[in-house]
Structures are given as C-alpha cells and as structure tokens.
Amino acid sequence: MIQKKYESAAKAIADLQDGATLLVGGFGGSGLPSHLVGALTKQGAKDLTVVSNNIGAVRDGVAALISNDQVRKIICSFPVGPHANELIQRIKDGSIELEIVPQGTLAERIRAGGAGVPAFYTPTAAHTELGEGKETRMFNEGLHLLEHAIKGDYAFIKAHRADRWGNLVYHKTQRNFNPVMATAAKTTIAEVDEIVEVGEIDPETIVTPSVYVHRLVKLEAKSDGRVLLHE
C-alpha cells in the first residue's frame, strides 16, 4: 500500500540537511506552506539556498528562516517585505546572497527544472542590470538572455486536498508557484487541509499528480479543531 502521510510536519522535514536547496511555494501568504517552514525553524538546518517568490511576512515564509540564521542565499522576485531591513543588513554584511529574478522567469526556470530542460532564452531583463554578465543571443532581431533551470533538493508546497497516493487539488490562489515547484525537487513535501482515500478525488480536478509528491502532512489541529499555528 502506498502511504505518504507523515504524522507531523516535524517528522516530514526531519532529514533536510545543511546546505540544501529548498523551494518554498506560495505568493505572499496565499499558498504558503507555513507549517512546514515553521517546523524547519525548529529543526535548524543551516546554509540553505531558498527559492521563493517573496520572503514572506514576519513569522512565516523565508523571513522566519532569515531571522533564525538558516539562509545562505535567496533566489526570489520580491525581496521587499516586513523583514526587508533585516535582509538588507544581512546582504550588506555578506551573510546572505540575494539573486533577484523577474517573476515569469523565476516560474519558467523552476518549470524547466521539473521538465528536464537545462536552460532557455528569454527577452525578459535584456538591456537591464539583471541581465548583466549573462550569455546572450539574438532571436528575431531581439536580444535574449540565457537563463538556467532551477531544481531543489526539497520543495515545500501547500494544497487543499490530497489522496493518500499524493494526488493534489489546490484551492483557488494556492495554485500559484506550488504546482510548478512540486515537479522540480528530489523530495516534494505537501502540506494539505485534508487527506482522503484513493478514488475520492475527481481525476479531472487533480492539478499535481502523485508521481511528484513524496510526503504528505495534514495541517495539525488543536483539540478544539482550530489549526495549530507554529510559534
């Protein structure tokens, strides 16, 4: 019997090692796998390269990992947030490296990683500072940059519903970076609201097939039914 469910977020991320590349889904707080990130702040792996659209809010997302001195490099589209000052200071003192990538290019670099495409050309960011130092080529009389695929050791993603094989259904805006990140990591861990038996999900609604999902964690809840928020 295929069983990918873990008892807790802590157990699901326990083997994440120092120096790993971690993909974190979400767009702001929408679709952010905050329980998995919270568990990682307690697990303590360091020198991480984190790929995410943005650094998150004060206690969630990449910002929590920055505050906990666990991040060596950030690859993102939007580094400005409640922890921007802390991030800027850490960039100045050399403890964190920041790579800013245009949002569409970031999504495509991750998609390419999942599809086995090593690199691609795009006109985005040509003739800008973000394009400096990159290999270029002319297509249709326009300058294009060579962008390399992104792959992760782990991906933390959030979905609404899963069956025990790991087929995932997303709720509205959860379907942002989560589906593409699920395909681009050696180990994809999904935080979900509900886990059901195989056959209970309409196949037409599945966005991420189970072949991409290795571990499942149901959102931990308190005895009164409220979702347990990490501290």
Side-chain angles (χ1 to χ4, degrees):
M1 174 184 291
I2 297 176
Q3 181 58 268
K4 300 179 180 179
K5 181 180 178 181
Y6 279 62
E7 294 180 11
S8 66
K11 291 186 177 180
I13 61 94
D15 61 351
L16 198 151
Q17 69 277 23
D18 291 353
T21 296
L22 171 64
L23 314 180
V24 180
F27 191 111
S30 178
L32 177 70
S34 58
H35 287 69
L36 293 173
V37 175
L40 184 57
T41 63
K42 297 177 181 176
Q43 188 258 19
K46 295 185 179 300
D47 298 323
L48 303 174
T49 294
V50 181
V51 183
S52 190
N53 180 63
N54 52 282
I55 68 167
V58 176
R59 292 172 54 201
D60 289 317
V62 181
L65 301 174
I66 292 172
S67 299
N68 213 33
D69 294 324
Q70 293 178 262
V71 180
R72 177 180 56 81
K73 180 177 180 178
I74 295 172
I75 302 174
C76 70
S77 296
F78 189 72
V80 177
H83 267 210
N85 291 337
E86 183 174 350
L87 174 62
I88 291 169
Q89 182 57 45
R90 291 176 187 245
I91 292 170
K92 287 181 177 177
D93 67 24
S95 60
I96 289 182
E97 177 185 353
L98 172 65
E99 179 180 347
I100 298 177
V101 182
Q103 198 166 72
T105 301
L106 180 63
E108 182 61 11
R109 286 179 65 185
I110 298 167
R111 192 206 65 81
V117 177
F120 59 92
Y121 283 97
T122 176
T124 303
H127 307 289
T128 74
E129 290 185 13
L130 295 180
E132 291 180 358
K134 294 186 177 180
E135 183 178 329
T136 60
R137 186 170 172 179
M138 296 294 290
F139 291 97
N140 301 321
E141 301 181 354
L143 188 66
H144 290 66
L145 307 177
L146 182 65
E147 297 283 359
H148 292 266
I150 294 175
K151 299 180 72 173
D153 297 304
Y154 291 83
F156 288 178
I157 65 171
K158 184 172 183 176
H160 173 54
R161 202 176 192 208
D163 64 25
R164 62 178 175 78
W165 281 1
N167 293 301
L168 302 183
V169 175
Y170 299 91
H171 182 64
K172 298 183 177 179
T173 54
Q174 287 178 341
R175 192 171 169 176
N176 44 57
F177 277 83
N178 287 304
V180 70
M181 285 185 171
T183 68
K186 296 175 184 175
T187 301
T188 293
I189 308 172
E191 171 183 314
V192 300
D193 299 314
E194 182 182 17
I195 300 175
V196 300
E197 277 302 311
V198 174
E200 292 187 35
I201 296 178
D202 180 352
E204 295 295 332
T205 66
I206 294 171
V207 176
T208 297
S210 61
V211 67
Y212 294 114
V213 180
H214 305 93
R215 301 174 188 175
L216 295 169
V217 178
K218 185 176 179 297
L219 292 180
E220 300 153 50
K222 296 182 178 179
S223 58
D224 61 3
R226 289 181 297 151
V227 172
L228 179 66
L229 298 176
H230 67 266
E231 299 299 329

